[in-house]
Amino acid sequence: MAKKIKLGLFGSTGKMGVAIRQLIKNSSEFNAFLEVCSKPTGDFDLSYINLDEISQQTFKQVDVWIDFSRPEGLLELLPIVQQTKKPLISGTTGFENNQFSKVEACSKKTAIFWASNMSVGLWTLRQAIKTLSTISHFDFALEEIHHTQKKDNPSGTAVTLHKDLEKAVGKKIAPAVGHRLGGVFGIHTITAASQSEMIKLEHNALNRTVFAEGALKAALWIVKQPAGLYSMDDLMTIKRKK
Ligand SMILES: NC(=O)c1ccc[n+]([C@@H]2O[C@H](COP(=O)([O-])OP(=O)(O)OC[C@H]3O[C@@H](n4cnc5c(N)ncnc54)[C@H](OP(=O)(O)O)[C@@H]3O)[C@@H](O)[C@H]2O)c1
């Protein structure tokens, strides 16, 4: 039987942390090795509240980190990842100013996979956006809805879609309008309209498992990758590249 991948989870008490923990319970591929969080969940071999309580020896045993936290949390994890040259999957969003440049710098030393949205469906929607180049003269609007506890607004995904859309149609588009309503997991809508017709492209996440599955798929893949910054494009085109 293949050796299980020892997982370090950053943000295990959070909503995405819960989704990851559910998927790795009884997993034949992952060992819930280490969590760093304010309250131990009882699901991991080792549990720490702060990174500075953890020995280098323990850090070295982690095969891959998954992070769903906050930018300031991720920035604390990066030096550990860099020193120990362990791969990292991060879905954290809401970066300000040049915070993300620290992720880019760290990826020169170790493999980092970052995506604002780890769902297969959302990636497919991003491919569909490229086809809007044929109607670049239309008017466009972006909208997103998330649960009321979501911190960043517009969402990281909406920021990504906005960049994709501007690139596809070759003109400036107003930033996404974000709504914070109830328990919505995430709805992203692109509307394109002319005087005669209207198109809507929409992705609706029906649960958080979809993001957690993407993160675990990326974790299985990244353990074999050299240093570099990887994205959903890399993960979704693996077969085609082979
Ligand atoms: N890429 C994707 O597919 C995707 C999907 C969903 C969400 N997200 C993003 O993932 C992140 C987490 O989302 P969520 O819904 O799980 O949020 P959440 O429920 O608020 O959970 C946040 C988690 O991060 C921890 N945390 C917060 N600040 C921290 C810090 N400074 N240092 C260390 N840990 C810290 C919290 O720990 P304690 O509560 O224990 O302090 C908690 O476990 C957000 O940025 C969200 O936008 C990405």
Side-chain angles (χ1 to χ4, degrees), residues 10-16 37-38 68-70 72-73 91-93 115-118 150-152 211:
F10 206 63
S12 56
T13 55
K15 287 178 277 302
M16 279 307 301
C37 61
S38 58
F68 282 97
S69 63
R70 297 277 304 141
E72 57 274 25
T92 293
T93 62
S116 58
N117 192 304
M118 299 204 187
K150 181 149 184 73
K151 302 266 183 346
D152 47 336
F211 309 125

Side-chain angles (χ1 to χ4, degrees), residues 178-220:
H179 304 286
R180 297 292 167 260
L181 307 173
V184 175
F185 296 119
I187 302 174
H188 293 89
T189 313
I190 294 143
T191 307
S194 70
Q195 295 299 322
S196 314
E197 54 186 332
M198 187 159 89
I199 298 175
K200 271 187 192 286
L201 295 179
E202 185 169 280
H203 179 263
N204 189 343
L206 303 179
N207 52 49
R208 285 190 182 90
T209 311
V210 72
F211 309 125
E213 281 170 348
L216 291 175
K217 183 178 175 195
L220 281 177

